[in-house]
Amino acid sequence: QVQLRESGGGSVQSGGSLRLSCVVSGYVYSTYCMGWFRQALGREREGVGNIDSDGRTRYIDSVKGRFTVSLDNAQNTIYLQMNNLKPEDTAMYYCAVDRKDYYCTSLFQSSSYSNRGHGTQVTVSS
């Protein structure tokens, strides 16, 4: 059974930084699409960024140049480095993984991964 556990959320002022971590356990496949999506109160789920087995990354336009998705395969951990945070980044952030790496672009758009964590809250004040 695949389990994902996020950490690193919190409250920061506008312009600050946070690094979210997600430890993945029970994932046995060699191919993957791993990433992060977020959901703000009263809004639709929104893909933030993801990475596939070939190292290709995708980001929503509003976070390009500010957020970075990375992996530490030895630690089975996915990271989301968030710099220059803005109030509109306030949301619950979820990490997710799916074995369909060839479907990674669609998963980025839909956030319909097979497995996801419980989320970590990020709040950015102005």
Side-chain angles (χ1 to χ4, degrees):
Q1 182 179 358
V2 179
Q3 294 186 325
L4 300 92
R5 177 177 291 184
E6 303 96 336
S7 62
S11 297
V12 296
Q13 291 193 323
S14 183
S17 297
L18 284 173
R19 188 176 79 157
L20 306 184
S21 300
C22 174
V23 178
V24 183
S25 61
Y27 191 81
V28 299
Y29 305 106
S30 59
T31 60
Y32 56 80
C33 175
M34 295 187 177
W36 296 85
F37 63 92
R38 65 189 180 186
Q39 188 162 20
L41 197 62
R43 298 189 64 178
E44 299 263 328
R45 205 163 42 176
E46 176 180 65
V48 175
N50 71 12
I51 185 168
D52 61 29
S53 305
D54 292 326
R56 287 185 293 257
T57 56
R58 300 154 193 85
Y59 296 97
I60 192 171
D61 284 346
S62 62
V63 309
K64 285 180 181 177
R66 300 190 298 123
F67 290 13
T68 304
V69 177
S70 61
L71 301 176
D72 183 336
N73 289 321
Q75 299 294 325
N76 297 323
T77 302
I78 313 166
Y79 297 102
L80 180 66
Q81 178 67 45
M82 305 185 294
N83 299 327
N84 190 22
L85 281 159
K86 304 177 180 181
E88 52 264 40
D89 295 318
T90 295
M92 184 72 81
Y93 283 72
Y94 300 86
C95 68
V97 62
D98 198 290
R99 67 178 295 189
K100 298 187 291 293
D101 63 332
Y102 52 86
Y103 209 48
C104 214
T105 297
S106 293
L107 289 169
F108 168 72
Q109 295 167 341
S110 68
S111 300
S112 299
Y113 300 84
S114 298
N115 306 279
R116 52 172 265 191
H118 293 293
T120 186
Q121 178 67 36
V122 172
T123 302
V124 185
S125 57
S126 57

